Each structure stands twice: as structure tokens, then as C-alpha cells.
Amino acid sequence: MGQPKTPNPHEKRMVAIGRVLQTLRETDGLDKLVGTTLDFVKAEFEYDLLWIGFYDRVNHRLQGKGHQCKQDLRRLRQTIPLLPGDLMEQVVIQQRPLAVPDLRAESRAGEWTKIAETLNLQGTLIFPIRRRNLCFGVMVLSSERWGISPSSSERATLSLVLGSLAESVYDREQEHQRQTAKRPDQPLLKLLGQLGELTTLEARLLAVVEETQRFVEPDRTNVYWFNPQDRYFWHRLGNRYNSRGRSVSAKSLEAIAVSDIKGFYQALGNGQLVVIGEAQSSLAGGSTGRLMEIAGARSLMAAPIFHQGELLGFLSVEGNDARIWTESEKNQVQGAAQMIGLSMPTSETEAIVQTVKADQMLTATISRSIHGDEDWRKTLDLCSQELCQRFEAAQLFVLLHNPEEGGFELCYQSKPGRSQQLWEPLSDVDWQMLERAQDPIGIEDIETDLKLANWHPVLRDLKVRSLLVCNVSIGQEPEGLLILADKRDRRWSQTESSLVRVVSQQVGLILHQWQLQRQANQQAHLYEAMQWGLRNLQVTFQLDRLEQDTLDHLSKLLRLPAVALISWESDDLSGRVAASLVRSRDFEFNPSVTIPLESDAVVNWALQTDGLLSIEMRDLPDASRQWLMAPNSSKVMAMMLRTAPEHVPTGLLVALERGDRRWSDYQFNLLTLMASQLAWSRRHLHLVESLLTQQESLQSLNWYKQKRFEELHRVLEKNVRRLKELDLRKDALSHQRYQQVSRQLDKLLSSLDPLLDHEAWQLHSEYETIPIVSLLNRLMERANSQIQKRQLWTKVHNDANLTIGGDIQKIEFVLYELLLAACDRAPVGGRIDVWCRPLDQTWIEISITDSGELDAQLLEEIHEGRPEDILAPSTLTAPPGLHFTICQTLMQQMGGEFSLFQLEDDRLLSRVMVPIAVNTPVNRIGK
């Protein structure tokens, strides 16, 4: 048997490592673990200082647990703080070994610089004690030699031993936590049994507070209750009471306003547990200061209390010192707060039931009002009164979506006040929120809530601070909104939200009925406008009256402050304000200004627009502002009165409107319809007037030519008879008379030349003069046959030797027509008088009186004119009335006058005003 082989140094180290690892696994005490580790490292490595410190996570420092060195220093047994950026903090955070050549000269060594100078330490190795990603502390290995650098085997050995030390420390802490951990299930089960035996809410709250105080062991435990109307928490119950039942802590009784603890309040509203300690907080640091000041604590934990989805308050545990709250403590506080919400006493539930019954009565009343009351405003008044009184709210708004403008129209406001009639359109986010929301949207404070941001300015003007908004058509696009508003910050309860949801659906029916009624009214207005246009087209025959009535109707129907009609003829170069209606002093049309059609901006823009033109007043040039005056913010709406693309327009309808008014499609359509009707009506009247004028002209021409041909026939017949008589005689006298008759015929033919050359289709005026005596003689000569036939006694009364001027042929025919008519109606053997009397230096009156009879209707129509209905029977459509009308028209065209009267003695008077000749060279007509 051979001698045993002597183990080499490497084998000896492996054996030592195995022993120390086994020792670390089997040792329980922390001091023994540290001592075993130090002894092993001292035996295996040559270092002058060995130091182990454990990391305090709460206070961020290293606590010395053991060391070995030549000189014992008190500082090595104390706590060494970790400063930002120093070497020890770097090792703890990065969990990597760190070598320092000279610890004395290292500026980031902190407290270790003094220790190194005292012990003359230079080369140093700082090694983390870690398990996975959890660092339990560090080990410092330092030597008096400079710049030591451990080998890879030494590093592996240290990593193995220190890792085993970390594992043992971790197992020890876990076992300690298992032995000392609090279990909230047992006290919560005990508390659940106690709550079942208690009947009042105060007793149940006190039991919860006492059990929570016993389990968590804070300095105090309190219950705060929430006032949703005024948005503050008030102290309801605590664990520190004196014999009189009052809290010892004065600060605990102070009310906590939501505005002071906004972050804390939002967390409670979301059902979160709020945890605040020295090294941990579930809220931002800036939002906890006021809360901790009011609570008078350095650490706090609060759990919300909910009942049927409503925030009733919170249960809080408070500590005067910094504290780390464990998971079991958090679970216990949350469970206790939930038990308070679940254990509301029967009295509270009965009150809720009574409230629900009252809400049902309210909705039933509104429903009956919807079906039984035609006045929807009264129904909304009832709804507003009940809701505002029930929830102590300020007022109620009902908004109706205006798809044409994109915004919401304020159709109901419970309290009278100045507000915008049209609220701005909502953002896409708010629109989608209202469309998708199944419950009303609550806003507790518009200053901190970004919902409905576009409406915040108008809400501020209305002194609204909080509101509850509900879509009247849940799950669909918002056709209307019901808004319950208050002038104070408040939280809207689930009960309030549920009732508003039900009421809003009933209000939705009201709005739907109102919309249907408004649409029916709009259709009625359109029908009325069409009926009005057709009716006026049938009964109105004066163009100016039609235009003025149309403007008045438009102004009333569309509530226009000013409207006007610009008119011109088809061949005109300029137009004018033919008719206007102004209801506001800010607007004006100037009728004295001529409007150039080729250069005016409004006229040309309207010509180029197919339909209604809408422009801003500020965009008009100065030329258009001469006849159109309005504020710069006003709108100008113009439409060309064009009946067909091939028709020439002869008018422009211009309407002025204030800039803040927004028009709907219905109003635009109504204005377009009225303008189109006016265009066709004007064209119809223009055509009728043109045809009537043409008819009168042709009738006059026909009458005049007929008279000329009758006169021609009479003269020709007379001269032909004379020619036949002279043809039988051959003496010189007969030849002379033959020549005279021939000259008269030539003269007669010459007189027909103007008739053939100038009066083919219309009358032509010739200015001639003739002595009044000659005219009367010729008149009596022509009528002699009829006078003799009727055996009439005639006399001419003329004392003036004057000359008349004008179209003598037409004047003579008019007088002959009147004298012939007088002869026809005078009784056989009657009397006819012809009177001539100068009125002044310009006019002479020729009158014919007779004792005949004439239809009274004919006399009336000669004075009043033709009936408006051109198809109605009239005495002026046939002789003698037609001839009298022609005589009247001819005399008016020549500047004279004709009238027919019945005198007091029943005689008829035919009166003609003829101009006296002017002193100018003229062609005279002799007898």
C-alpha cells in the first residue's frame, strides 16, 4: 500500500470552499453567517481589511454587520450613508465588483476615504452580496499595498461564497416574513360576523375602525364621508375619542375640499387604494402635501367606500412617522372599506327605495305630459322644476343638434338669461363620447375637466361650474342633449345619473315631436309662399304693387332687416332701386343712385351665379356701397330674376342680413323660390303690358286709317261727280273748273304720302297749324249730312280768332268722331252746340254738348279706365266706347286731353283740350 499523496493548494481551496458553503447553508444566525464568511476570506486571501455591510433599502444606507482588521474602528460598526454618485452606491445599483487602486485618493469614496487614511489602506475590492437581481449588501476587501488586482479564480471564489451568503440571508428573511406576516382574512371574517349583529351605521363604522386599528396598528384610523353637492369630505368617525365622544385631534375634524386634493379625489373615484409613505406614494408628490397637512400625518393609507356605484367616503389609517405599508395591511384596509359599502343599514336602503319611487313618479308624470299636453314647453318646465328641486341643481338646458350649422341650438333654458342661441360644434372626441356613452357624462369642475372644452366659454358666461350631460338618443348620434347644470363644483351621484338618463329619453320624445312640428311649419311656410305667389299672380296687375308686396312678404317671412329690387329695361345700361323695404336703421338703399350694369360688382357676380349669391359686405367695392349701405359684418344675398337661360334678366333681388345670423337650407330655398316666382310674375305683367300697349297702338292706327280712307272716299266721290258734270260741257269755264278739280285730287294724293310712308304700323305725329274757324267749318261741313238726316239744330259758339297747332289730321278726326257720336245719340230734331273757349295762352277748349243718352257704365269706364281683368266684359272693347278710348289715347299722345261728362241738366259734354299754335314758321292748312 502506497503513501497518500499530499494535496496541492488548489485542492485545499476547493475543500475549504465546500466546507464554508455547507456551513453557510446550515447556519441560522446572521452574525454567524457573517463571521463564517469573514473567517473563510481571511484564511484564503491576504487582505488587511475585510468588511461586510447590509443594504437598508428604506433609508438607502449600509449597516455594518462585521469586519476583520488590525485596528478596530468604531466607524466600521456604524451606518454608512450612500450618497449619489459614490462608489458604494454604484456597486449596490449596478451589482458589479469594483476595484480601486488607492482608496485614500478616491474622491468618490465618501466616508471610506477617512477610514482608508486611518488604516493606511490602498488597493481595494468592493464586491456585491446579491441574489439574482436583489442586492443585500457589499463586502470590502482592502490592502495596504497599492493597486491589487484579484485573479479570476479569486473573483470566482468570492462570487460563489458571497452568493451563498446572499441565498442564506434571503431564506432567513423569507422565514421571518412568514412567521411575522399579518393575515387579514381572519380579522375580516371576524368583522363580517360583527357587522351582521349591528343595526346602525355608526355602530358598524365604529366596529370597522376598531378592527382596522387593531390589525394595522397605525396612530389613528378615521372614516371620512363625502358631500357630493358641495364636493368636500367631512370627518364622520375615528378611533380616538374622549369621554364626550369628541375627537382628540382637532385636525381630524377639518373638512377636506376636493379642490385641495384633486389627485387624491380622482384616485378614490376610480376605486384605487391610496398609499403614502416616506419612500413610497401612489400619488404625485405635489398632490399629497395638503392632504398630509390636514391629516397631520407622515404616512397614510386610504381606501374608497362605494355603495351601488356611488362614492360615500373613505377609510384611512394614518401614521405620525414614515412607514412602509405591507400588502396584508393594504388588503385589510381595502376589505374593511368594501364591507362598509356592503353593510349599509336597512334605513339607508329604505331611503334609497323612497327616492327611486319618487323618480318613477317623476318619469311617469313627464310621460303623461308628453302624450297629453300639446305645449312641449310646459312639459319641459315641469321636467326642469322637478329635476332642479330633486337634485338641488341651478338650471336645465335642452339643446337640439343643428345639422346644417354643425352646432347645437339652445331650444330650452329653465331660467331666463342671455345665452348664445347656437352653441359651437363639438370636437370629434366629444361627439364620439356622447354617441358611445350609455350613461350621462358628469363634469364636476369645468376648470379641471377637458370634456366639452368647446362649450366652456359659454358655460362660464352662464356661471355654470358642473354639469351632467345626457344624449337623448342613447347609443346613437346626438340629436339632442339634456344638460343639468349647477353653479358650484359637485359630484353627480349614480342615482342622479340614472334618473337623468331616464328623463332624457322622455325629453327625446318631446324634441322629436318638436322637430316634426318645426319641419311641418317649414313645409307650411313653403306652401304658403307658393300659394301667395300664385294668388298674387292672379289678382295683381300693377307691377309696382306686385314688387312691393313681394318684398313685404319676404321681409316678414324670413325676418329680413332690409330687402330691395333693382330693376332695368332690357336695353338699358343702368338700373335703379325700384322698390325697397327697410326695417333697421343700420341698413339703407339709395334709390337716387343709378347702378351701372356693366361695372357694378353685385350685378355682375349675381349674373355669373346660378342661384343665390351670398357675399360679405366688407368684400364689396366702394361703387356698390353708393346704393347699398350696411355694416361691414353684414351679409348680402342677391339673386338675378332670370326666368330661363335664354331670357334676358331685367331685375335683381337683394336681401341684407346681419352677420351673426346663420341661415338654414330651408331659408335659402324659400328665398330662392320667392325670387323665382317674382321673376315669372314680373315677366308675365311685362308681357301683358306690352301686348296691351301694342293692341292700343294698332287699334288707334286702324281707327285713324279708317277715318282717312273714309275722308278720301268722300272727297273722291265728290270730285268724280264734278268731273262727270264738267265732261258734258265744253266751254272755257268748265275747263277751268276741271283743272281746279284735278289740282284738288293731286293735293289729296299728296296728303296720303305721309300716311303710306310713316304710318305703316304705327302712328306718326306731324305738326301743322290751322285757324280754329277753318277747323270748325270743315268739321261742320263733314257732319252736315248726318245733321240734316237727324234734323238737328246746331250752333257754333266761337268768339276767338286763334290758330291751333299739332297733328291737325288726328285732331280733326277726333272732333269729327265726337261730333258724329253726338249726332247719333241726339234725339231727332234735337240741338247740338259747339263751344270754343281759350283757357290761357297755351290751351283752347272745344266742347260739344247734346241732349242724348249714354250708358252709365260707359261713362264710368271712360273716367276710371279699362278693368284690370282684360278678359272681363267692357263697354270699351266695342264702338262707341272703343272709339272714345282711341280718341282719349290720341289726345294724350299729342299732349292734349279728352273727357266725356254728363252735366247737371242731363246733357252730355264732350270736352277736348287742344294746344294753341306757337309762334314758329309752320305749314298752314287753309279751308
Side-chain angles (χ1 to χ4, degrees):
M1 192 175 170
Q3 296 293 328
K5 185 178 180 180
T6 304
N8 57 33
H10 178 71
E11 293 176 346
K12 291 181 178 180
R13 175 170 292 181
M14 294 299 296
V15 172
I17 292 174
R19 290 173 181 172
V20 74
L21 292 179
Q22 182 178 2
T23 302
L24 291 175
R25 287 195 299 269
E26 297 174 354
T27 302
D28 294 332
L30 183 61
D31 293 337
K32 292 183 179 180
L33 292 172
V34 173
T36 301
T37 304
L38 291 174
D39 290 341
F40 170 78
V41 176
K42 181 66 176 178
E44 296 295 327
F45 304 98
E46 296 181 358
Y47 287 98
D48 297 308
L49 170 66
L50 298 176
W51 183 84
I52 292 178
F54 282 175
Y55 176 53
D56 184 355
R57 298 182 186 85
V58 176
N59 300 304
H60 197 54
R61 59 189 180 181
L62 292 174
Q63 178 68 42
K65 291 299 182 180
H67 64 276
Q68 289 187 8
C69 65
K70 298 177 180 179
Q71 181 180 352
D72 188 16
L73 290 179
R74 182 180 178 183
R75 183 59 178 156
L76 296 175
R77 297 192 298 271
Q78 295 179 351
T79 301
I80 299 177
L82 297 180
L83 302 176
D86 67 3
L87 297 177
M88 295 298 172
E89 185 187 53
Q90 179 180 345
V91 174
V92 169
I93 294 176
Q94 296 182 356
Q95 299 184 18
R96 296 178 184 175
L98 180 65
V100 181
D102 189 350
L103 190 60
R104 297 174 304 176
E106 180 58 52
S107 60
R108 296 185 301 155
E111 294 288 337
W112 283 96
T113 303
K114 298 178 181 180
I115 297 174
E117 292 176 350
T118 303
L119 299 177
N120 193 27
L121 301 175
Q122 296 188 48
T124 304
L125 177 64
I126 306 174
F127 215 98
I129 304 173
R130 69 186 185 91
R131 177 187 181 272
R132 297 182 182 177
N133 294 325
L134 187 62
C135 183
F136 290 95
V138 299
M139 182 175 185
V140 179
L141 302 89
S142 185
S143 174
E144 294 180 355
R145 292 175 296 171
W146 183 89
I148 62 171
S149 178
S151 63
S152 58
S153 61
E154 292 177 348
R155 286 176 177 268
T157 301
L158 289 174
S159 177
L160 183 62
V161 173
L162 295 179
S164 179
L165 173 61
E167 190 70 32
S168 299
V169 173
Y170 174 77
D171 293 340
R172 181 179 177 275
E173 287 185 357
Q174 290 296 110
E175 182 62 26
H176 177 72
Q177 290 180 4
R178 283 193 294 271
Q179 294 178 0
T180 59
K182 299 178 180 179
R183 299 183 60 185
D185 52 347
Q186 295 298 329
L188 288 177
L189 289 174
K190 177 182 177 182
L191 182 59
L192 186 60
Q194 292 178 352
L195 295 179
E197 299 174 357
L198 302 174
T199 58
T200 65
L201 180 60
E202 296 297 326
R204 294 180 178 180
L205 292 178
L206 183 59
V208 172
V209 167
E210 290 177 349
E211 189 61 36
T212 303
Q213 177 74 21
R214 186 179 304 110
F215 183 83
V216 182
E217 297 181 350
D219 291 296
R220 53 190 169 272
T221 304
N222 293 306
V223 173
Y224 285 86
W225 221 245
F226 182 53
N227 186 324
Q229 283 75 22
D230 297 317
R231 293 219 316 168
Y232 70 86
F233 293 94
W234 56 278
H235 183 269
R236 181 160 188 169
L237 194 69
N239 68 313
R240 298 182 62 183
Y241 285 82
N242 57 21
S243 59
R244 296 183 180 180
R246 296 181 179 177
S247 174
V248 177
S249 176
K251 288 188 177 181
S252 298
L253 296 178
E254 184 178 352
I256 307 175
V258 170
S259 58
D260 294 333
I261 52 170
K262 294 179 180 178
F264 176 75
Y265 171 70
Q266 291 176 357
L268 292 180
N270 294 329
Q272 300 177 8
L273 176 70
V274 178
V275 180
I276 301 175
E278 185 175 352
Q280 59 180 165
S281 175
S282 58
L283 298 177
S287 62
T288 60
R290 178 60 178 162
L291 175 64
M292 303 304 288
E293 178 184 353
I294 295 175
R298 293 185 60 193
S299 58
L300 177 143
M301 186 163 49
I305 301 173
F306 281 94
H307 177 67
Q308 294 184 349
E310 297 295 333
L311 179 65
L312 300 181
F314 66 90
L315 172 67
S316 70
V317 292
E318 305 158 10
N320 295 330
D321 299 321
R323 175 170 176 175
I324 299 297
W325 306 102
T326 65
E327 288 298 323
S328 59
E329 293 169 344
K330 296 177 184 178
N331 294 334
Q332 201 280 338
V333 172
Q334 278 187 307
Q338 292 173 2
M339 283 189 176
I340 294 177
L342 294 173
S343 61
M344 292 293 290
T346 307
S347 59
E348 300 286 340
T349 305
E350 290 178 353
I352 295 175
V353 171
Q354 293 299 324
T355 302
V356 172
K357 290 182 179 180
D359 296 343
Q360 291 177 347
M361 291 294 295
L362 170 61
T363 55
T365 302
I366 295 175
S367 298
R368 287 195 299 269
S369 298
I370 290 173
H371 296 287
D373 192 355
E374 296 181 358
D375 189 356
W376 61 273
R377 263 186 202 281
K378 291 183 180 180
T379 305
L380 291 180
D381 287 337
L382 172 63
C383 173
S384 170
Q385 179 181 357
E386 293 292 337
L387 280 180
C388 293
Q389 182 178 0
R390 167 75 172 79
F391 298 144
E392 299 180 1
Q395 62 179 314
L396 182 77
F397 301 97
V398 177
L399 303 179
L400 185 64
H401 182 234
N402 189 332
E404 298 169 356
E405 304 294 339
F408 283 81
E409 181 181 350
L410 179 62
C411 64
Y412 178 80
Q413 184 176 357
S414 59
K415 292 183 179 179
R418 299 181 61 184
S419 175
Q420 297 179 11
Q421 189 65 27
L422 188 68
W423 292 20
E424 291 186 5
L426 292 172
S427 65
D428 293 339
V429 175
D430 290 333
W431 178 270
Q432 294 175 5
M433 175 186 67
L434 291 171
E435 183 179 2
R436 297 173 182 174
Q438 297 299 317
D439 294 302
I441 306 298
I443 298 179
E444 302 180 22
D445 183 4
I446 65 172
E447 301 299 335
T448 59
D449 201 320
L450 298 180
K451 292 191 287 290
L452 308 180
N454 290 358
W455 290 354
H456 284 189
V458 66
L459 292 174
R460 292 190 187 98
D461 293 341
L462 293 169
K463 304 293 193 259
V464 172
R465 296 281 302 178
S466 60
L467 60 151
L468 194 62
V469 185
C470 187
N471 181 7
V472 299
S473 50
I474 297 294
Q476 301 177 10
E477 291 187 355
E479 294 182 359
L481 297 177
L482 177 71
I483 300 180
L484 190 63
D486 207 340
K487 295 183 178 180
R488 55 185 174 173
D489 298 345
R490 64 179 289 177
R491 180 181 179 88
W492 302 95
S493 67
Q494 186 65 33
T495 303
E496 294 167 339
S497 179
S498 300
L499 179 58
V500 168
R501 184 183 189 277
V502 175
V503 171
S504 68
Q505 305 308 297
Q506 305 292 343
V507 172
L509 296 177
I510 301 176
L511 291 179
H512 190 64
Q513 290 179 353
W514 185 64
Q515 280 183 309
L516 293 177
Q517 183 63 38
R518 187 168 69 169
Q519 292 175 2
N521 292 337
Q522 291 178 355
Q523 296 297 328
H525 285 166
L526 282 173
Y527 178 76
E528 177 187 352
M530 290 187 292
Q531 287 292 101
W532 181 90
L534 295 174
R535 185 170 57 252
N536 278 269
L537 182 60
Q538 296 169 0
V539 302
T540 304
F541 300 98
Q542 291 82 26
L543 185 60
D544 54 349
R545 178 183 168 187
L546 172 70
E547 293 171 346
Q548 195 63 47
D549 288 350
T550 302
L551 298 184
D552 183 67
H553 187 69
L554 262 179
S555 178
K556 292 179 180 178
L557 200 61
L558 296 177
R559 304 189 306 277
L560 292 171
V563 61
L565 175 67
I566 314 303
S567 179
W568 60 87
E569 297 298 331
S570 58
D571 54 350
D572 287 347
L573 299 178
S574 62
R576 61 180 180 85
V577 179
S580 64
L581 194 147
V582 179
R583 300 182 182 273
S584 175
R585 297 179 179 178
D586 297 334
F587 302 88
E588 183 180 355
F589 295 100
N590 192 347
S592 61
V593 176
T594 58
I595 305 170
L597 300 181
E598 293 185 356
S599 60
D600 187 79
V602 178
V603 175
N604 282 272
W605 291 343
L607 274 172
Q608 299 170 13
T609 303
D610 185 13
L612 188 64
L613 169 69
S614 179
I615 53 178
E616 300 288 340
M617 185 66 190
R618 61 175 60 91
D619 297 333
L620 292 183
D622 294 337
S624 297
R625 293 173 180 264
Q626 299 299 318
W627 61 273
L628 174 64
M629 287 155 279
N632 280 337
S633 59
S634 305
K635 291 182 179 179
V636 180
M637 288 170 288
M639 183 171 178
M640 193 62 63
L641 299 184
R642 194 195 326 259
T643 51
E646 61 274 10
H647 293 171
V648 177
T650 59
L652 176 68
L653 183 66
V654 179
L656 303 181
E657 184 56 275
R658 304 187 186 277
D660 55 353
R661 180 181 176 185
R662 299 183 179 181
W663 277 44
S664 64
D665 289 342
Y666 150 73
Q667 292 167 323
F668 279 116
N669 293 336
L670 186 57
L671 180 59
T672 303
L673 175 64
M674 292 295 297
S676 178
Q677 286 189 343
L678 176 60
W680 278 105
S681 299
R682 291 179 79 249
R683 180 175 177 82
H684 164 75
L685 291 183
H686 274 300
L687 287 174
V688 171
E689 182 180 1
S690 175
L691 292 175
L692 288 177
T693 303
Q694 185 179 6
Q695 179 186 10
E696 291 179 357
S697 177
L698 293 177
Q699 287 176 341
S700 300
L701 178 62
N702 183 69
W703 176 86
Y704 171 66
K705 287 185 176 183
Q706 181 68 24
K707 296 301 179 182
R708 289 293 299 268
F709 289 137
E710 290 177 356
E711 175 66 13
L712 176 62
H713 181 272
R714 185 185 68 83
V715 176
L716 285 175
E717 182 182 18
K718 176 182 177 182
N719 285 279
V720 168
R721 186 171 59 251
R722 292 179 61 187
L723 286 175
K724 289 181 179 180
E725 293 176 355
L726 292 175
D727 189 41
L728 300 176
R729 303 176 185 178
K730 303 299 183 179
D731 54 3
L733 179 60
S734 299
H735 179 73
Q736 182 181 0
R737 289 181 177 177
Y738 183 86
Q739 293 296 328
Q740 184 181 4
V741 173
S742 178
R743 285 193 300 270
Q744 289 179 352
L745 291 176
D746 287 338
K747 187 177 180 180
L748 179 61
L749 292 175
S750 299
S751 66
L752 293 177
D753 290 339
L755 177 65
L756 298 174
D757 293 340
H758 305 297
E759 296 183 318
W761 289 104
Q762 60 182 0
L763 293 174
H764 179 72
S765 179
E766 293 284 346
Y767 186 83
E768 301 172 324
T769 61
I770 187 173
I772 187 65
V773 177
S774 300
L775 178 63
L776 294 176
N777 291 336
R778 288 167 53 174
L779 180 64
M780 298 305 294
E781 179 186 357
R782 293 182 61 187
N784 184 53
S785 61
Q786 188 67 15
I787 293 173
Q788 292 180 358
K789 180 180 178 181
R790 303 284 296 176
Q791 301 177 7
L792 300 175
W793 186 87
T794 62
K795 185 175 181 180
V796 177
H797 306 271
N798 179 26
D799 297 332
N801 189 15
L802 297 174
T803 301
I804 63 174
D807 196 332
I808 301 303
Q809 288 287 344
K810 295 182 178 62
I811 294 175
E812 182 179 352
F813 286 145
V814 169
L815 292 174
Y816 175 68
E817 179 70 33
L818 298 179
L819 180 58
L820 195 62
C823 294
D824 290 339
R825 63 175 174 261
V828 177
R831 175 169 177 167
I832 294 179
D833 294 281
V834 179
W835 306 83
C836 293
R837 184 182 60 174
L839 295 181
D840 52 28
Q841 297 180 353
T842 307
W843 297 98
I844 185 172
E845 177 187 270
I846 302 175
S847 303
I848 303 172
T849 59
D850 66 270
S851 56
E853 295 181 357
L854 196 63
D855 188 0
Q857 182 180 355
L858 176 59
L859 287 172
E860 181 181 357
E861 290 186 357
I862 289 176
H863 287 283
E864 301 296 333
R866 188 186 297 271
E868 292 184 354
D869 186 1
I870 61 177
L871 298 181
S874 173
T875 59
L876 303 181
T877 58
L882 178 60
H883 294 168
F884 290 153
T885 303
I886 294 173
C887 292
Q888 197 173 43
T889 302
L890 286 174
M891 293 307 303
Q892 290 175 354
Q893 291 176 356
M894 292 184 291
E897 180 183 335
F898 161 65
S899 55
L900 183 63
F901 300 97
Q902 187 167 19
L903 301 177
E904 295 179 357
D905 58 359
D906 294 335
R907 288 186 301 163
L908 294 174
L909 173 65
S910 302
R911 180 173 176 265
V912 178
M913 299 288 296
V914 180
I916 299 174
V918 297
N919 296 324
T920 56
V922 294
N923 296 323
R924 296 183 178 272
I925 300 177
K927 184 177 177 179

